[in-house]
């Protein structure tokens, strides 16, 4: 992208690090210095994070000798420079080998580019496995619900019908249960197939034709998710593939398997089984926790089976009777991480209180009788915190056990799936029984919360903006973008990192700059949760918008930041973008769109970001991916991909510079399409960081909302 | 509310009240607007309602 900028405003935090700027050919030690300098202390985090509840809890934990993620990060510093830049290969027992300016080859003979590409591919494959395990559970749920083999209700059969139509599955004369079972079978086939000659039918049905044709030209159509995971590990195994281009081709195949099967298909199947998002208003963040007379249960992780079963029975008279007998008046569930994202989208009255990295701060409130966890992004550091309180940690997935936790899980072979509601009740019983052990004197809950409006699935977006499901078009949104009321659409997703950024700061700065300049924002996953906690996902945040966007969101009574769900619900953001481009009569790469993964952390975020790139959407991050040792990799992802798929990966640690890069890119696309262009303005620190929206409540007198 | 450019871009598929639409996720109910269907279906012949057995004649 072009380098012409209007503003020179730079982030004082990033600027004060004196980190060298990345330039091709720079020595490895400078690259390591660059990454080392871009770290922030716990004290800096406390001062500058937008999430005042987390800042307060980290201080509280420090005062009470509880170790948090931020303490452990400080203890790790300085982290290994070879690992940080990707110049270390630890795949086989010849190594670990580090590739340096003086020692350019590993023992087996790989150069730095192959080492970095191999590390990136393996990280991507790990992310594919994680979302793939989630996908498998959801597909099994759908099949079980449709076939009646488990007592799981099919909450949105209408979507099952719509998805069958999308997939080209015949529906005539079939019952809705049969249709939904065939949808599950199709998804499972593309998850696990080994045979190479069969088409990837989900990909061909769900991706825009222009994209499918491009991917076929590049010869990167995956065989199946299982196979691409298998092959990514095979290809990078000891002395197997040693061709950089071949590594990158496998990388792109794996990204597509990740995107189509483990993200898009998962999100669609989840909607069929557990219901589609519904608009609702609720409070979020730690200040939403009820401390008086209430049994509190946190649900953390990603897999929906047990989590939704608990949700289905928690308010039943039978459970409420047990609650009263235990001496409490109420029982409440609270969402954490992406299970929280799934709950809060579906108007179940379950507030979201923490994302993955801040879940242990929620535990440290001492207000939870139980934390129910399944798999992924449940930090091991949660266990020692829970042990300091009466809080019981209960694991429900054999893939995500925790040393010292109570195991009440669906077994590895799902032999007890038909007993899922008994399992859910056992979990609730433990929490209710544990209420008597709570020490009220040790409960500490920061009085910080934000008002949000949730539930913007593709169906709601179509209702608000005159869309059509069969046409796969959001006509109204396209018209508003084309006519110049909305500059573009930018999605925020992925995790939040401790390294390379101040916790929950960068994405808030960028989002505020964008809505100030008339960009409609969508968000999902843990990074999106930061925008919720910052109060941007409520109609009252319209005050922070530019005039044009403000007129739109106020007329429609929607927030300028539309929350679309959990990490796998990037699907919905992708649909909003692709269906808007479709309605505008242009392709994704032509359309003013972008993806922001401000502070990516988990392996899954590798696939999450490149999935948008391969969809033709420019993607931006502030935290570097442990790949900076290889100029060839940096050039491939930052430049060559743009010529291959119409978009690239952009990295800049400065959120102010990234904001301008995005706005400039959106304007360039608008100019190319002949659509109106108007000035943008980068807000100062005082305007962007110091102005907390009215939707965020900080204080002792929080009113009841929603 | 739809802006003029949104109405010009495509007509809304407005529909009359009908019992098969009750609880349907594709039914649009927006303040100050007529009921509409984002699946583009007329309630009397709705393929989604038929597939879901809402006419009382669910396929086997």
């Amino acid at each position: 992208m072009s380098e012409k900028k209007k503003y020179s405003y730079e982030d004082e935090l990033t600027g004060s690090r004196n980190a060298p700027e990345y330039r091709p050919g720079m020595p490895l030690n400078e690259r390591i210095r660059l990454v080392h300098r871009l770290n922030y202390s716990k004290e800096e985090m406390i001062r500058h994070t937008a999430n005042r509840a987390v800042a307060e809890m980290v201080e509280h934990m420090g005062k009470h000798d509880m170790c948090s993620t931020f303490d452990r990060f400080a203890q790790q510093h300085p982290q290994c420079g070879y690992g940080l830049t990707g110049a270390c290969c630890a795949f086989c027992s010849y190594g670990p080998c580090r590739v340096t300016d003086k020692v350019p080859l590993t023992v087996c003979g790989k150069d730095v580019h192959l080492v970095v590409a191999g590390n990136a591919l393996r990280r991507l494959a790990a992310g594919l496995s994680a979302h793939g395990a989630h996908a498998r559970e959801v597909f099994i749920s759908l099949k079980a619900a449709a076939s009646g083999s488990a007592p799981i209700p099919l909450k949105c059969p209408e979507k099952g019908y719509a998805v069958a139509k999308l997939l080209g599955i015949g529906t005539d004369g079939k019952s809705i249960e049969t249709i939904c079972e065939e949808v599950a079978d199709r998804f499972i086939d593309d998850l696990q197939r080994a045979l190479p000659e069969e088409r990837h039918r989900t990909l061909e049905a769900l991706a825009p034709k222009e994209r499918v044709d491009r991917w076929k030209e590049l010869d990167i159509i995956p065989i199946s998710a299982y196979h691409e995971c298998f092959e990514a590990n095979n290809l990078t195994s000891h002395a197997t593939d040693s061709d950089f281009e071949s590594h990158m081709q496998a990388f792109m195949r794996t990204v597509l398997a990740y995107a189509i099967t483990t993200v898009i298909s998962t999100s669609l199947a989840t909607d069929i089984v557990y219901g589609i998002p519904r608009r609702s208003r609720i409070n979020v963040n730690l200040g939403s926790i009820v401390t008086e007379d209430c049994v509190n249960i946190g649900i953390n992780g990603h897999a929906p089976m047990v989590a939704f079963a608990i949700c289905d029975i928690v308010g039943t008279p039978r459970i409420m009777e047990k609650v009263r007998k235990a001496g409490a008046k109420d029982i409440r569930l609270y969402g954490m991480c992406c299970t929280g994202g799934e709950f809060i989208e579906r108007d179940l009255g379950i507030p979201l209180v923490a994302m993955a990295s801040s879940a242990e701060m929620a535990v440290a409130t001492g207000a939870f009788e139980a934390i129910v966890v399944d798999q992924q992004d449940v930090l091991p550091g949660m266990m020692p915190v829970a042990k300091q309180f009466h809080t019981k940690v209960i694991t429900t997935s054999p893939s995500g056990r925790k040393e010292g936790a109570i195991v009440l899980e669906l077994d590895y072979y799902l032999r007890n799936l038909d007993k899922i509601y008994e399992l859910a009740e056992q979990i609730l019983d433990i929490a209710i029984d544990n209420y008597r052990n709570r020490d009220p004197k040790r409960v500490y809950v920061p009085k910080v919360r934000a008002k949000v409006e949730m539930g913007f699935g593709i169906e709601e977006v179509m209702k608000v903006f005159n869309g059509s499901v069969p046409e796969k078009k959001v006509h109204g949104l396209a018209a508003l973008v084309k006519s110049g009321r909305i500059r573009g659409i930018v999605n925020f997703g992925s995790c939040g990192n401790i390294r390379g950024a101040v916790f929950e700061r960068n994405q808030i700065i960028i989002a505020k700059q964008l809505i100030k300049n008339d960009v409609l924002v969508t968000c999902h996953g843990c990074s999106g949760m930061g925008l919720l906690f910052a109060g941007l996902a409520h109609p009252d945040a319209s005050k922070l918008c530019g005039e044009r966007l403000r007129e739109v969101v106020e007329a429609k009574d929607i927030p300028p930041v539309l929350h679309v769900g959990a990490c796998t619900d990037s699907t919905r953001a992708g649909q909003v973008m692709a269906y808007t481009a479709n309605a505008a009569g242009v392709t994704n790469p032509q359309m003013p769109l972008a993806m922001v993964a401000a502070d990516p952390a988990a392996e899954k975020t590798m696939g999450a970001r490149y999935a948008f790139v391969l969809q033709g959407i420019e993607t931006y991050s502030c935290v570097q991916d442990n790949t900076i040792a290889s100029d060839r990799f940096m050039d491939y992802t930052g430049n060559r991909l743009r010529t291959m798929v119409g978009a690239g990966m952009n990295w800049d640690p400065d959120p102010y510079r990234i904001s301008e890069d995005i706005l400039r890119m959106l304007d360039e696309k608008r100019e190319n399409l002949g659509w109106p262009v108007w000035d943008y303005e980068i807000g100062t620190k005082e305007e962007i960081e110091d102005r907390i929206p009215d939707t965020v409540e900080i204080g002792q007198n929080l009113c009841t909302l929603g | 509310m739809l802006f003029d450019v949104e109405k010009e871009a495509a007509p809304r598929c407005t529909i009359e009240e009908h019992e098969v639409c009750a609880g349907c996720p594709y039914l649009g109910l927006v303040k100050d607007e007529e009921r509409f269907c984002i699946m583009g279906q007329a309630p009397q012949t709705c393929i989604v309602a038929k597939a879901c057995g809402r006419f009382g004649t669910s396929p086997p």
Side-chain angles (χ1 to χ4, degrees), chain A residues 61 64-67 359-360 362-371 379-394 401-406 434 437 439 442:
Chain A
M61 290 172 77
H64 293 81
D65 295 326
M66 283 183 269
C67 187
E360 65 190 48
V363 178
T365 61
F368 285 93
E369 276 55 61
I371 304 289
L379 272 56
M382 178 188 284
M383 289 306 296
V385 180
K387 278 181 188 161
Q388 299 209 24
F389 297 92
H390 72 303
T391 306
K392 309 269 190 202
V393 177
I394 302 168
R401 288 187 188 161
K402 297 272 175 274
E403 191 87 30
I406 298 168
N434 196 28
N437 296 319
D439 180 356
R442 296 194 66 209

Side-chain angles (χ1 to χ4, degrees), chain A residues 247-529:
Chain A
H247 267 54
M248 295 312 292
Q249 191 177 23
F251 187 87
M252 289 193 284
R253 271 199 318 262
T254 310
V255 168
L256 289 182
Y258 171 99
I260 303 296
T261 288
T262 74
V263 175
I264 297 176
S265 304
T266 305
S267 179
L268 296 175
T270 305
D271 278 0
I272 300 169
V273 185
Y274 299 106
I276 64 169
R278 288 196 309 187
R279 285 176 71 173
S280 64
R281 293 185 181 182
I282 195 167
N283 290 320
V284 293
N285 214 342
L286 296 173
S288 315
I289 298 169
V290 176
T291 53
E292 303 280 319
D293 304 321
C294 187
V295 176
N296 291 325
I297 302 169
I299 313 266
N300 188 357
H302 291 75
M305 276 183 177
V306 178
F308 275 92
I310 292 171
C311 185
D312 282 347
I313 64 168
V314 71
T316 56
R318 178 188 168 93
I319 299 297
M320 291 309 294
E321 181 58 31
K322 293 183 188 185
V323 168
R324 280 186 286 274
K325 277 188 185 161
K329 291 178 182 163
D330 202 358
I331 180 167
R332 292 202 179 193
L333 305 181
Y334 301 87
M336 298 172 182
C337 194
C338 283
T339 299
E342 300 277 13
F343 283 156
I344 202 167
E345 275 304 291
R346 294 182 166 83
D347 189 19
L348 301 168
I350 301 173
L352 182 76
V353 293
M355 47 78 78
S357 306
S358 58
E360 65 190 48
M361 285 99 211
V363 178
T365 61
F368 285 93
E369 276 55 61
I371 304 289
V372 184
V373 307
D374 45 72
Q375 49 180 295
Q376 301 160 34
D377 299 326
V378 182
L379 272 56
M382 178 188 284
M383 289 306 296
V385 180
K387 278 181 188 161
Q388 299 209 24
F389 297 92
H390 72 303
T391 306
K392 309 269 190 202
V393 177
I394 302 168
T395 62
T396 61
S397 165
S399 306
R401 288 187 188 161
K402 297 272 175 274
E403 191 87 30
I406 298 168
V407 178
L408 273 173
E409 65 190 21
L410 287 174
D411 91 353
Y412 188 70
Y413 300 97
L414 296 175
R415 285 170 295 212
N416 57 345
L417 189 54
D418 59 333
K419 303 277 190 307
I420 192 164
Y421 284 99
E422 283 94 322
L423 191 65
E425 187 159 345
Q426 275 180 282
I427 290 167
L428 289 173
D429 286 347
I430 289 173
I432 293 165
D433 183 57
N434 196 28
Y435 177 69
R436 62 192 158 87
N437 296 319
R438 188 195 294 181
D439 180 356
K441 289 198 255 2
R442 296 194 66 209
V443 173
Y444 182 88
V445 176
K447 301 291 181 194
V448 181
R449 67 185 184 187
K451 300 189 286 184
V452 294
E453 177 161 353
M454 312 299 297
F456 290 94
I458 184 64
E459 294 81 6
E460 286 301 325
V461 171
M462 283 187 167
K463 288 172 191 173
V464 171
F465 290 107
N466 194 15
S468 160
V469 175
E471 290 180 87
K472 295 201 263 188
K473 289 181 178 174
V474 191
H475 295 288
L477 192 47
L480 292 167
V481 176
K482 279 171 87 168
S483 65
R485 281 190 172 83
I486 295 174
R487 190 185 299 268
I489 306 166
V490 176
N491 178 53
F492 285 65
S494 88
C495 320
N497 208 329
I498 308 300
R499 176 178 73 76
V502 169
F503 181 74
E504 284 187 12
R505 174 174 179 266
N506 288 342
Q507 75 265 46
I508 288 110
I509 292 172
I510 300 167
K512 281 180 157 181
Q513 297 281 15
L514 294 180
I515 62 172
K516 171 185 159 58
N517 286 290
D518 307 306
V519 176
L520 182 69
V521 167
T522 58
C523 70
H524 61 89
C526 282
S527 189
M529 289 168 198

Side-chain angles (χ1 to χ4, degrees), chain A residues 163-214:
Chain A
V163 172
K165 283 288 181 195
L166 272 176
L167 295 172
I169 292 172
T171 56
D172 289 350
K174 294 176 187 169
S175 71
I176 193 65
E177 289 78 14
T178 304
I179 293 169
C180 290
E181 197 172 352
E182 287 186 25
V183 169
D185 287 340
R186 176 71 59 85
F187 287 155
I188 290 168
D189 183 43
D190 284 333
L191 176 76
Q192 68 177 16
R193 189 177 49 255
L195 298 175
E197 66 269 20
E198 290 183 25
R199 290 158 51 217
H200 198 296
R201 290 179 294 175
T202 316
L203 180 146
E204 292 193 3
L206 299 182
K209 184 174 181 309
E210 176 268 339
R211 287 288 94 187
V212 176
D213 290 346
R214 193 81 271 264

Side-chain angles (χ1 to χ4, degrees), chain A residues 156 158-159 161-162 173-176 276 459 462-470 475-476 479-480 485 551-552 555-556, chain B residues 1-3 5-7 9-12 23-28 30 36 38-40 47-48 51-52 54 58-60:
Chain A
C156 192
E158 296 88 352
K159 182 130 187 179
Y161 178 84
K174 294 176 187 169
S175 71
I176 193 65
I276 64 169
E459 294 81 6
M462 283 187 167
K463 288 172 191 173
V464 171
F465 290 107
N466 194 15
S468 160
V469 175
H475 295 288
L480 292 167
R485 281 190 172 83
E551 187 193 0
V552 172
K556 292 177 179 294
Chain B
M1 161 200 151
L2 294 182
F3 287 80
V5 289
E6 292 182 274
K7 290 178 193 160
R12 276 270 207 220
C24 180
Y26 301 116
L27 170 66
V30 176
F36 59 91
I38 58 169
M39 281 296 276
I47 51 174
V48 180
C52 295
R54 293 224 204 99
S58 179

Side-chain angles (χ1 to χ4, degrees), chain A residues 646-659:
Chain A
M649 180 66 70
N650 304 273
W651 166 64
D652 191 324
D654 185 324
Y656 288 85
R657 285 203 304 253
I658 277 208
S659 303

